[in-house]
Amino acid sequence: MSFDALIIGGGAAGLSCALVLGSAKNKRFAENKSIGIIAHQKTSHLQDALFNNVLGLQPGTLGSDILNSGIDQLAELYPHIAQIENEKVSAIQKEEGGFKITTNKNEYNSKIVVIAVGYTSFMTITGLETYIEPHPRAAIKKDRIWLKNTDHLIEDNLYVAGTLAGWRSQFAMACGSGSHVATDILTLWNDGNQTKIHDKVTV
């Protein structure tokens, strides 16, 4: 299966990126784009999170509930985005015109790849080793990593979002990081014209 953009990781950053990309489906520059998300969530820090300090979330909201509702929200609002479940990426290889992504079950090709998995040192995706460095905003004793990037871009058409991009482990930051990457991709698809997607109340 081939994609124009494939997101790896179904946590806050990955789902936010997918939702923003999905919301552009009626735009001329995005209407025919093939988008997928490998919704691996086991390493997401949302699994054991409790939120009392996030604008717009009911105090006491559980991160595990957000993971489930986020997947449902994506499927309901933007069913054109392929959700690939129960697969874990083992390798990313650069090829002419994009990347080959290998999981424990399949192989995929994508012109653009977004890495949005957790920032633990146990993150093992062959092909990314040269970009791994100690995380610049985490305590050294926690042994966290990031993928060295400039404004979320690792190299042409290879992005990283969330804590693995070098941000602190705050829900709002991870969501914003994923949304940032999505708007960068939409800007690329829109011939370099700065792009954002907002839904508005109609009267």
Side-chain angles (χ1 to χ4, degrees):
M1 187 178 295
S2 296
F3 297 96
D4 290 291
L6 181 61
I7 301 160
I8 299 170
L15 285 172
S16 295
C17 184
L19 287 166
V20 174
L21 289 179
S23 69
K25 61 186 176 69
N26 295 324
K27 301 294 184 180
R28 171 197 53 79
F29 54 83
E31 60 184 358
N32 295 317
K33 298 297 185 184
S34 175
I35 304 165
I37 179 170
I38 298 178
H40 183 71
Q41 297 180 323
K42 289 183 179 179
T43 61
S44 174
H45 286 161
L46 288 184
Q47 294 286 4
D48 57 2
L50 170 66
F51 294 109
N52 293 313
N53 64 349
V54 179
L55 180 66
L57 288 185
Q58 183 70 27
T61 296
L62 298 178
S64 56
D65 290 338
I66 292 175
L67 288 174
N68 293 329
S69 64
I71 288 290
D72 293 341
Q73 179 182 356
L74 185 62
E76 180 179 348
L77 293 178
Y78 311 118
H80 63 290
I81 293 186
Q83 291 196 35
I84 302 167
E85 299 178 347
N86 301 316
E87 294 189 30
K88 185 175 181 180
V89 173
S90 58
I92 296 175
Q93 180 180 344
K94 189 173 183 178
E95 296 186 330
E96 184 175 356
F99 302 87
K100 180 174 75 174
I101 300 92
T102 303
T103 76
N104 56 322
K105 297 180 180 179
N106 293 295
E107 288 186 352
Y108 304 93
N109 294 96
S110 186
K111 296 176 183 177
I112 294 173
V113 173
V114 180
I115 313 296
V117 297
Y119 68 152
T120 71
S121 58
F122 297 108
M123 192 282 294
T124 54
I125 299 177
T126 301
L128 298 178
E129 300 92 342
T130 58
Y131 306 113
I132 294 176
E133 293 186 355
H135 198 282
R137 295 185 177 93
I140 294 176
K141 64 182 180 181
K142 289 186 176 291
D143 194 26
R144 304 304 192 198
I145 61 171
W146 77 314
L147 298 183
K148 189 175 181 180
N149 66 89
T150 301
D151 199 19
H152 294 95
L153 190 65
I154 299 172
E155 62 173 84
D156 287 348
N157 298 320
L158 181 61
Y159 295 85
V160 59
T163 53
L164 195 61
W167 301 111
R168 293 186 179 91
S169 182
Q170 290 285 150
F171 177 71
M173 290 181 184
C175 289
S177 176
S179 299
H180 183 133
V181 170
T183 57
D184 281 351
I185 292 171
L186 293 175
T187 296
L188 185 65
W189 288 347
N190 195 19
D191 298 323
N193 296 304
Q194 294 295 333
T195 303
K196 58 185 183 294
I197 304 296
H198 290 155
D199 296 320
K200 296 182 180 180
V201 176
T202 56
V203 293

